[in-house]
């Protein structure tokens, strides 16, 4: 089974400036299969030329035919390297990547009891809140709290995305 997610939906954990490249480290891909420390070829980054590498090569010059190089090791964190000429800073890199999709292999998913996760997005589609696993009663309280405590005139509408919580085996 596969999943598709955009870079804009991933949490950025770190921006690193190397000698040759800069790179972004994102949180682990949600419910992804366990990756090895080598090259799995199980992630596809659309709309831009990319190549998978190992973590040790993040600061090695990227072949000019590719715009980005990425690595996913046993920590399942996505590390995306790019030449300093491609993006001068973290902000320009994130802006260029936010709509680019990643397709990846899901792990063996087992439902985590009767727990769910909620993502709250504003009218611009930006994620403004993400919960830990909750029961449906707790989800109801989160939604009611957001709806009752916001100034709707300045912030627009909210979108709630409810997904079942899974454990990856």
């Amino acid at each position: 089974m596969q999943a598709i997610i955009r870079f804009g939906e991933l949490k950025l954990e770190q921006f690193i400036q190397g000698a040759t490249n800069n790179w972004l480290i994102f949180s682990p891909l949600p419910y992804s299969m366990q990756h090895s420390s080598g090259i799995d070829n199980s992630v596809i980054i659309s709309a831009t030329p990319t190549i998978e590498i190992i973590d040790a090569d993040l600061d090695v010059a990227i072949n000019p035919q590719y715009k980005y190089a990425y690595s996913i090791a046993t920590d399942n964190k996505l590390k995306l390297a790019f030449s300093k000429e491609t993006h001068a800073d973290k902000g320009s890199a994130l802006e260029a990547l936010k709509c680019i999709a990643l397709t990846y292999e899901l792990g063996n998913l087992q439902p985590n009891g009767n727990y769910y996760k909620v993502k709250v997005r504003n009218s611009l589609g930006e994620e403004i809140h993400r919960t830990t696993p909750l029961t449906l009663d707790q989800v109801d309280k989160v939604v009611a709290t957001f709806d009752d405590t916001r100034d709707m005139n300045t912030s627009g509408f909210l979108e709630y995305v409810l997904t079942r919580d899974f454990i990856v085996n």
Side-chain angles (χ1 to χ4, degrees):
M1 295 185 92
Q2 292 184 324
I4 299 173
I5 193 168
R6 291 186 317 261
F7 275 102
E9 297 174 89
L10 292 174
K11 180 183 175 194
L12 179 67
E13 291 189 353
Q14 198 171 7
F15 173 69
I16 297 176
Q17 294 180 311
T20 305
N21 299 324
N22 293 334
W23 61 95
L24 304 167
I25 299 177
F26 293 93
S27 59
L29 298 172
Y31 305 121
S32 174
M33 67 176 233
Q34 180 65 46
H35 290 270
S36 69
S37 58
I39 297 174
D40 295 315
N41 290 317
S42 62
V43 174
I44 299 166
I45 299 175
S46 66
T48 189
T50 61
I51 186 169
E52 186 173 6
I53 59 173
I54 59 172
D55 278 7
D57 289 342
L58 287 169
D59 205 23
V60 173
I62 299 170
N63 183 326
Q65 77 184 54
Y66 300 104
K67 192 168 185 176
Y68 301 97
Y70 69 93
S71 174
I72 302 177
T74 55
D75 61 4
N76 267 14
K77 293 181 180 183
L78 176 68
K79 298 142 191 115
L80 186 74
F82 48 89
S83 165
K84 292 183 176 196
E85 288 85 39
T86 301
H87 301 291
D89 56 28
K90 174 176 73 172
S92 64
L94 289 174
E95 183 63 27
L97 293 165
K98 72 180 179 184
C99 292
I100 294 178
L102 298 95
T103 304
Y104 62 96
E105 295 293 323
L106 292 171
N108 181 20
L109 304 180
Q110 301 297 318
N112 182 15
N114 291 319
Y115 288 97
Y116 297 83
K117 289 183 178 179
V118 178
K119 290 182 189 174
V120 184
R121 291 192 172 101
N122 64 18
S123 58
L124 299 175
E126 300 166 328
E127 185 177 308
I128 61 169
H129 186 73
R130 180 183 302 208
T131 68
T132 58
L134 303 170
T135 65
L136 286 175
D137 288 341
Q138 293 168 319
V139 167
D140 187 45
K141 289 176 185 168
V142 168
V143 171
T145 300
F146 267 96
D147 283 347
D148 292 343
T149 60
R150 298 187 66 252
D151 177 5
M152 296 301 283
N153 293 330
T154 58
S155 300
F157 63 89
L158 293 178
E159 176 182 341
Y160 298 94
V161 179
L162 175 72
T163 55
R164 185 109 191 232
D165 187 44
F166 292 99
I167 298 169
V168 180
N169 290 330

